[in-house]
C-alpha cells in the first residue's frame, strides 16, 4: 500500500511525498498540507492581504497538486513546485481583483496595492528563491554528461571559447562542438522541466545563462 510507505524519516526533500502522491496516497497530500500550508500562506498574505483570498489560493494550489499528481516526475522538487504554483495563483487572483475594482474611485489605494504586488510577484528577483535548487540540479546533470560533452561545455561556458577555438583545442570539428553544446543544453532543460514543473520562464532564463559551478573538468 502506498500510504504505508510515507515515512517521516525521509521528508527533507519531499521526494517520498511525490512518490506517494503518484500512487494516489491521500495521506501524503494531508502531510504535505500540514508541512507547507503555513509557509505558503505566509508567502501569499504578503501580496494579497485578503485572508479569504489567500486561503482560496492555497486550497487551489493543493487541489492542482493532487489533480496533476500523475504528471509529476519522481525527481520533482516539491518545495519549488508548491511555491511556484502559489506565486502563479496569486498573480491570477490579483489580475481578477484589479479588473473588478479598477473603476471604483473609492478603492484606489487597494488598486495601487494590488498593482505593486503584481509587479513584485512578476519580478525575476523572486526567482532567486529557487535558483540554488536549480543550480544544484544543473551541476548534477552536467556531471552526468559524457566526458567529451562536459569538456566542450566547460570550455564554452566557463572559458568563453568560440566553437572554432574549442574544436582546435580538442581536435574535433566545430560542428561537433555545436552538437555537444546543443546536447548539453537540451539535457539540462529537459531535466529541469521534469524536476521543476510550471517553472518554464525561469528554466529558459537559467538555461540561457547556465554556467558550471562544479569542479574543473580539464
Amino acid at each position: 500500500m502506498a500510504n504505508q510507505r510515507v515515512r517521516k524519516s525521509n521528508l527533507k526533500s519531499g521526494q517520498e511525498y511525490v512518490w506517494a502522491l503518484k500512487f494516489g496516497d491521500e495521506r501524503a497530500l494531508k502531510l504535505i498540507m500540514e508541512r507547507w500550508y503555513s509557509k505558503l500562506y505566509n508567502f501569499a498574505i504578503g501580496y494579497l492581504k485578503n485572508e479569504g483570498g489567500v486561503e482560496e489560493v492555497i486550497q487551489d494550489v493543493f487541489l492542482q497538486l493532487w489533480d496533476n499528481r500523475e504528471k509529476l516526475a519522481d525527481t520533482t522538487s516539491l518545495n519549488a513546485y508548491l511555491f511556484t504554483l502559489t506565486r502563479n495563483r496569486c498573480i491570477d487572483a490579483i489580475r481578477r481583483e484589479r479588473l473588478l475594482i479598477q473603476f471604483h474611485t473609492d478603492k484606489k489605494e487597494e488598486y495601487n496595492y494590488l498593482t505593486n504586488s503584481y509587479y513584485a510577484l512578476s519580478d525575476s528577483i523572486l526567482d532567486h528563491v529557487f535558483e540554488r535548487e536549480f543550480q544544484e540540479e544543473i551541476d548534477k546533470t552536467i556531471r552526468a554528461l559524457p566526458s567529451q560533452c562536459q569538456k566542450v561545455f566547460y570550455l564554452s561556458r566557463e572559458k568563453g571559447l568560440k566553437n572554432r577555438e574549442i574544436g582546435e583545442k580538442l581536435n574535433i570539428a566545430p560542428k561537433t562542438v555545436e552538437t555537444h553544446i546543443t546536447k548539453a543544453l537540451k539535457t539540462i532543460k529537459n531535466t529541469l522541466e521534469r524536476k521543476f514543473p510550471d517553472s518554464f520562464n525561469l528554466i529558459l532564463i537559467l538555461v540561457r545563462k547556465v554556467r558550471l559551478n562544479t569542479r574543473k573538468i580539464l
Side-chain angles (χ1 to χ4, degrees), residues 71-73 75-77 81 134 137 186-200 203-204 207:
K71 300 177 182 178
L72 298 175
T75 57
T76 294
S77 170
Y81 184 57
F134 274 77
E137 195 62 33
K186 183 177 181 181
T187 301
I188 292 168
K189 180 174 178 290
N190 290 341
T191 299
L192 293 180
E193 286 177 343
R194 289 195 302 271
K195 190 171 182 64
F196 303 97
D198 288 338
S199 300
F200 182 74
I203 288 171
L204 287 182
V207 168

Side-chain angles (χ1 to χ4, degrees), residues 10-169:
N10 185 29
L11 303 181
K12 184 176 181 180
S13 67
Q15 299 313 124
E16 189 165 336
Y17 282 148
V18 172
W19 185 88
L21 278 175
K22 288 166 68 71
F23 279 84
D25 187 348
E26 294 183 8
R27 180 170 171 265
L29 179 63
K30 182 179 178 181
L31 291 174
I32 291 170
M33 292 176 68
E34 290 176 357
R35 180 174 175 180
W36 270 278
Y37 189 94
S38 61
K39 296 177 184 178
L40 300 178
Y41 184 95
N42 290 335
F43 172 80
I45 196 67
Y47 297 99
L48 297 183
K49 217 171 185 179
N50 183 317
E51 293 185 5
V54 171
E55 290 177 357
E56 182 178 346
V57 162
I58 306 305
Q59 291 298 328
D60 284 346
V61 166
F62 289 124
L63 179 61
Q64 183 171 352
L65 172 66
W66 180 255
D67 289 343
N68 294 337
R69 63 189 184 278
E70 295 180 359
K71 300 177 182 178
L72 298 175
D74 290 339
T75 57
T76 294
S77 170
L78 193 56
N79 187 65
Y81 184 57
L82 288 172
F83 273 97
T84 300
L85 287 182
T86 303
R87 176 189 185 180
N88 293 342
R89 288 293 170 274
C90 285
I91 289 175
D92 291 341
I94 288 172
R95 283 173 177 160
R96 291 195 302 269
E97 190 65 22
R98 288 175 73 222
L99 285 173
L100 289 174
I101 68 173
Q102 63 179 324
F103 299 117
H104 292 250
T105 56
D106 60 328
K107 294 189 176 182
K108 185 175 181 179
E109 183 177 345
E110 182 180 351
Y111 182 83
N112 289 337
Y113 177 86
L114 289 171
T115 299
N116 291 334
S117 293
Y118 174 81
Y119 286 121
L121 283 166
S122 302
D123 197 319
S124 61
I125 292 177
L126 193 61
D127 294 330
H128 295 320
V129 174
F130 310 124
E131 195 160 338
R132 181 177 178 180
E133 287 187 66
F134 274 77
Q135 187 61 57
E136 289 175 353
E137 195 62 33
I138 288 170
D139 294 342
K140 185 166 45 174
T141 302
I142 292 171
R143 287 195 295 268
L145 292 171
S147 176
Q148 187 79 325
C149 190
Q150 286 188 51
K151 292 176 182 178
V152 168
F153 200 69
Y154 174 79
L155 292 172
S156 172
R157 284 303 191 266
E158 286 299 298
K159 295 301 183 180
L161 298 184
K162 297 179 179 179
N163 289 3
R164 177 183 54 78
E165 296 171 321
I166 296 173
E168 292 174 354
K169 189 175 184 66

